[in-house]
Amino acid sequence: MVRPGGRSARVQAAVHTAVRELASEVGREALTVPMVAQRAGVTPSTVYRRWGDMQELLSDVAVERLRPETAPGDHGTLSADLTAWAEQFLDEMASPTGRAYIRDALLGDPDGGNAGQCSAYAAEQIDVILRRASGRGEPAPGVETVVDRVVAPMMYRILFRPDGLDTAYAHRLVAGLLDPNSPNSTPSR
């Protein structure tokens, strides 16, 4: 475990910053461990020891970049909260940068731990929304139901069928979850 503020945390921060800066300067395909190490002020062996290779490092950076920076907004109702969250999630994940981070998170992590961490980020955000709704007395589905009916279809489309993704798609998924009889619950073709 990394101690907040310890040497390990400083090395991680410096290396992550170096990766982000260099990726924007030379492109992620041109990155090398020695290049990142030099920019971060560490030895290449430090990077290899901690991350193994460039793909694992890119995966670690991606997971950190996919971590939400703020709690989901409170818009007064479960429907409004979940719709706003789904719109933002889709916008961020479907962007070229988001898709690159998703790809990096998955490719550099053969055991699935980073993918699990990304999934946990989404589940934590959804849990905040659902607890807030329950606190207002609104009936709310479970976190896994939201993941299965909103997040999973969006991620599939982002990864394999990205054409035509827009906020209306996110709205249809949330409407179908919250009101299965809604005319918006059937995706358009």
Side-chain angles (χ1 to χ4, degrees), residues 78 82 125-135 140-143 146:
L78 173 59
L82 198 52
Q125 294 264 299
I126 293 164
D127 186 55
V128 168
I129 293 167
L130 300 180
R131 280 188 289 114
R132 189 183 296 145
S134 292
V143 171
V146 178

Side-chain angles (χ1 to χ4, degrees), residues 17-149:
T17 298
V19 168
R20 289 191 308 273
E21 289 173 355
L22 288 166
S24 69
E25 292 169 18
V26 301
R28 59 183 289 290
E29 294 77 20
L31 293 179
T32 65
V33 169
M35 181 188 300
V36 170
Q38 181 178 12
R39 174 67 65 96
V42 299
T43 65
S45 64
T46 298
V47 176
Y48 287 120
R49 189 171 40 257
R50 174 131 185 202
W51 287 281
D53 64 21
M54 197 67 219
Q55 191 59 60
E56 287 183 39
L57 174 55
L58 288 171
S59 183
D60 191 51
V61 170
V63 170
E64 187 62 32
R65 299 304 293 166
L66 291 169
R67 178 191 309 261
E69 294 178 3
T70 60
D74 185 347
H75 303 279
T77 66
L78 173 59
S79 178
D81 288 355
L82 198 52
T83 299
W85 181 84
E87 285 178 6
Q88 181 178 354
F89 182 85
L90 181 62
D91 183 56
E92 290 173 1
M93 296 299 118
S95 72
T97 301
R99 287 173 49 86
Y101 284 143
I102 292 167
R103 190 172 41 253
D104 286 341
L106 297 174
L107 289 175
D109 182 39
D111 71 358
N114 285 348
Q117 184 60 53
C118 292
S119 177
Y121 295 155
E124 290 165 7
Q125 294 264 299
I126 293 164
D127 186 55
V128 168
I129 293 167
L130 300 180
R131 280 188 289 114
R132 189 183 296 145
S134 292
R136 291 189 293 249
E138 294 179 84
V143 171
E144 292 306 313
T145 301
V146 178
V147 168
D148 290 345
R149 304 266 313 273

Side-chain angles (χ1 to χ4, degrees), residues 156-177:
Y156 179 86
R157 291 286 307 273
I158 289 165
L159 291 171
F160 301 111
R161 298 180 58 101
D163 293 338
L165 285 178
D166 57 17
T167 57
Y169 180 67
H171 289 214
R172 287 192 305 272
L173 290 174
V174 172
L177 168 70

